[in-house]
Amino acid sequence: LAQSIETTRHYLEQAQSTHNSGETHGRHLATLHALDHLARLVHRCSQTDLIERLQDERRLQRLSSVICQACEAWLGDPGTNAHADRFDRLHTLLSAQRQRYRITTIQKSAHRKIDADTALWRMDGIRWMHRVAYHLWRIIYYLDAATQSHTKPDTAPFAGPTPGEPK
């Protein structure tokens, strides 16, 4: 999969579009953005040890099932534009959950209810889910932008990572 993404990226880099080409340029840029997020998502999905451990803790398991359900809905009907909004809300939810979960996990570790290694992998787990939700949201957003005939993605605000956003 990573090789296919790299081949596609190389192909897209060979294609040329300029601001003067309007809609085509916007679609070209949106496709490049989607591909970049896809490459990052593939990297996240290769972290199988972390993914497997998500099932070891009830809250992480519930949150990961929410991501899976959203993915299943998108894959079941990928043409629906509402999916970008759904993944935006999911990313926002996970952002808030990440902060709360981090605090409670550190407190549990401080009170010796869990050991430090468990606390660290749990925090890695919630950060991982936040990043995955972010990349899914941006992939869907940019794919929608690339396929909308009336949209110029290059003039839409780029919602790239802000300080504290996942990579």
Side-chain angles (χ1 to χ4, degrees):
L1 191 53
Q3 181 59 45
S4 296
I5 292 170
E6 189 56 37
T7 300
T8 304
R9 183 189 324 258
H10 180 72
Y11 173 79
L12 288 171
E13 287 172 352
Q14 301 307 307
Q16 292 186 357
S17 65
T18 65
H19 286 301
N20 296 336
S21 56
E23 210 173 275
T24 301
H25 184 62
R27 288 179 174 186
H28 184 209
L29 293 178
T31 303
L32 285 168
H33 282 300
L35 192 62
D36 178 55
H37 285 285
L38 180 60
R40 293 169 187 265
L41 180 62
V42 166
H43 169 71
R44 294 282 166 222
C45 291
S46 72
Q47 298 170 319
T48 55
D49 291 346
L50 181 62
I51 295 168
E52 290 171 5
R53 292 200 69 184
L54 295 176
Q55 301 307 307
D56 293 347
E57 202 274 331
R58 190 172 51 99
R59 191 162 174 195
L60 295 178
Q61 184 180 32
R62 280 197 323 260
L63 290 170
S64 67
S65 73
V66 171
I67 293 173
C68 288
Q69 290 168 4
C71 287
E72 288 170 359
W74 175 46
L75 293 172
D77 188 12
T80 304
N81 293 339
H83 293 296
D85 291 338
R86 174 184 289 172
F87 278 95
D88 181 16
R89 287 190 308 272
L90 180 57
H91 168 256
T92 301
L93 167 79
L94 284 165
S95 183
Q97 289 289 317
R98 184 184 69 172
Q99 297 304 320
R100 286 192 293 266
Y101 189 78
R102 182 178 187 277
I103 291 167
T104 59
T105 300
I106 290 171
Q107 287 173 343
K108 286 179 182 178
S109 181
H111 293 125
R112 300 195 190 281
K113 292 180 181 177
I114 59 174
D115 61 48
D117 285 340
T118 300
L120 291 174
W121 80 254
R122 285 181 180 181
M123 289 187 292
D124 281 346
I126 193 78
R127 277 190 301 270
W128 181 90
M129 285 189 282
H130 179 241
R131 289 175 179 141
V132 164
Y134 177 76
H135 294 307
L136 287 165
W137 166 44
R138 300 318 293 163
I139 289 166
I140 294 167
Y141 171 85
Y142 285 118
L143 288 177
D144 283 350
T147 58
Q148 298 300 315
S149 61
H150 62 279
T151 304
K152 287 182 163 181
D154 60 48
T155 61
F158 172 67
T162 55
E165 281 298 318
K167 293 184 179 182

